[in-house]
Amino acid sequence: MTDVLTPSSRVYVAGHRGLVGSAIVRRLEREDIRAIVRTRKELDLTRQSAVEAFFAETKPDVVFVTAAHVGGILANDTRPADFIRENLLIQTNVIDAAHRSGAKKLVFLGSSCIYPKLAPQPMREDALLTGALEPTNQAYAVAKIAGIEMVRSYRRQHGFHGISLQPTNLYGPGDNFDLQSSHVLPALIRKFHEAMRASAPTVTLWGTGTPRREFLHVDDLADACVHLTRVYDEAEIVNVGVGEDISIRELAELVREVVGYRGEIVLDTSKPDGTPRKLLDVTKLHGLGWHARIGLREGIASTYAWYLAQGS
Ligand code: GFB
């Protein structure tokens, strides 16, 4: 396969200010590949005509679709209209414009919540569309499934070289630490840090603490995206995870230890648990020659250091 990612390739990273997009830009820079980027003010990806004009002008060879409306369980559960609207618009505009302007490769990122709520664990790629979704994030998951189907359909009908990767729960530098809209890992870093500063006796964990999740550092995801862009060109989706999970209670204990907080953990069971378990089967990913490298403790410690460096 000819390498589509070289310093002379025109690579567009949609969503370069987000957690995933910024990690992909950093990863590309290590190989002297300077991504084409646009801020939201410069290019509103929900506007079809603006997206078409941008692609007609820049004609990227490779497109990473990392722009998305994302959030944790509470944001998904309370603002489903935003999640379905923005994601459908952004991905539809970008995928179609990439095809029309002659892109040689497109990488679409889904999410592990595309799989049924009660899918057998670890979740294999062929579990997609075999059962009912987790209701708290159904709107987001349906949008992502539509994106996967669009990429697959463009390949089948137009011979378009789009691939869809399904990352597990992500974290790392550049994450959202807002307690109402964030995912669990950044929320816990912030909660334990602030409780330590204030000498508060307890930190509150949402739900029962029993759900299990898998956490992948975003720099590992970016490395996997670059690797798979080069070696993979098939219609089937590919899971991107570490292959190990941990309960939310255990995660909280680990973050407490890394931050150095000595108080107690209490539960707020009025908040939802979501899917009981989300562990990806990574057999296919390993077969394609990629393994995660950043351990969870090490990744939490470096993310906490990044959080502190922001002046928090
Ligand atoms: O990370 P999180 O919001 O997303 O929550 P999901 C994971 C688990 O951590 C849930 C619990 O069981 C939460 O109840 N949790 C405990 C907390 N304390 C907290 C807290 O302070 N903040 C948060 N946010 N959670 C999202 C989906 O699901 O994950 C999206 O809604 C997407 O669609 C994303 O797939 C990756 O893993 O439950």
Side-chain angles (χ1 to χ4, degrees):
M1 214 179 276
T2 38
D3 191 2
V4 289
L5 285 175
T6 68
S8 60
S9 315
R10 301 178 61 76
V11 182
Y12 171 48
V13 178
H16 72 288
R17 284 186 164 166
L19 175 66
V20 177
S22 58
I24 291 183
V25 169
R26 282 197 299 277
R27 175 63 186 77
L28 292 171
E29 276 171 359
R30 275 177 34 202
E31 297 189 31
D32 289 326
I33 302 168
R34 304 233 169 283
I36 302 167
V37 295
R38 291 290 185 276
T39 61
R40 190 172 301 191
K41 220 170 146 196
E42 290 164 343
L43 174 62
D44 180 350
L45 294 173
T46 66
R47 303 274 164 208
Q48 186 182 1
S49 54
V51 175
E52 279 175 353
F54 165 75
F55 273 83
E57 179 204 324
T58 55
K59 296 202 182 325
D61 303 310
V62 182
V63 178
F64 290 97
V65 192
T66 65
H69 188 85
V70 300
I73 192 165
L74 197 65
N76 269 273
D77 201 22
T78 51
R79 293 189 287 105
D82 296 348
F83 280 79
I84 196 156
R85 175 185 182 275
E86 295 214 6
N87 288 306
L88 283 176
L89 286 172
I90 292 169
Q91 70 203 30
T92 303
N93 291 340
V94 173
I95 295 165
D96 187 61
H99 158 62
R100 285 176 194 278
S101 66
K104 298 191 187 88
K105 196 77 179 257
L106 176 139
V107 180
F108 177 70
L109 293 181
S111 164
S112 58
C113 69
I114 58 158
Y115 293 116
K117 176 184 174 103
L118 300 176
Q121 305 286 322
M123 302 184 289
R124 287 163 35 136
E125 286 86 353
D126 59 11
L128 181 62
L129 294 172
T130 57
L133 297 163
E134 155 63 29
T136 56
N137 59 35
Q138 180 153 313
Y140 177 71
V142 166
K144 288 292 185 185
I145 294 169
I148 292 167
E149 194 55 35
M150 185 165 173
V151 169
R152 254 191 324 219
S153 301
Y154 274 50
R155 175 180 288 273
R156 194 150 69 90
Q157 187 178 333
H158 301 302
F160 182 60
H161 296 278
I163 60 172
S164 292
L165 311 178
Q166 312 312 312
T168 193
N169 287 33
L170 302 167
Y171 71 99
D175 211 340
N176 167 20
F177 287 81
D178 172 79
L179 294 179
Q180 291 309 303
S181 60
S182 74
H183 291 99
V184 63
L185 203 152
L188 292 181
I189 288 180
R190 178 168 176 181
K191 284 181 179 179
F192 283 116
H193 173 73
E194 289 182 350
M196 188 173 65
R197 282 260 168 103
S199 302
T202 61
V203 159
T204 304
L205 202 58
W206 293 355
T208 61
T210 57
R212 299 185 70 82
R213 295 287 185 272
E214 178 186 16
F215 296 93
L216 178 71
H217 193 283
V218 73
D219 287 343
D220 264 343
L221 174 74
D223 192 61
C225 286
V226 166
H227 176 75
L228 294 169
T229 302
R230 289 188 161 125
V231 306
Y232 189 71
D233 194 16
E234 309 279 337
E236 291 80 38
I237 62 177
V238 182
N239 289 338
V240 183
V242 290
E244 277 169 37
D245 63 356
I246 179 173
S247 76
I248 295 300
R249 174 90 204 187
E250 289 164 336
L251 175 75
E253 284 164 5
L254 185 56
V255 176
R256 173 169 65 179
E257 216 180 292
V258 170
V259 170
Y261 172 71
R262 294 180 186 280
E264 295 301 310
I265 296 168
V266 295
L267 301 176
D268 173 2
T269 52
S270 71
K271 293 284 194 308
D273 267 346
T275 314
R277 192 174 183 200
K278 265 196 284 189
L279 175 64
L280 292 178
D281 183 308
V282 283
T283 310
K284 190 165 171 180
L285 178 70
H286 290 174
L288 288 163
W290 190 89
H291 282 74
R293 293 190 194 96
I294 305 171
L296 186 55
R297 178 185 293 270
E298 170 199 354
I300 292 172
S302 60
T303 305
Y304 181 44
W306 180 88
Y307 175 73
L308 291 177
Q310 305 312 298
S312 306

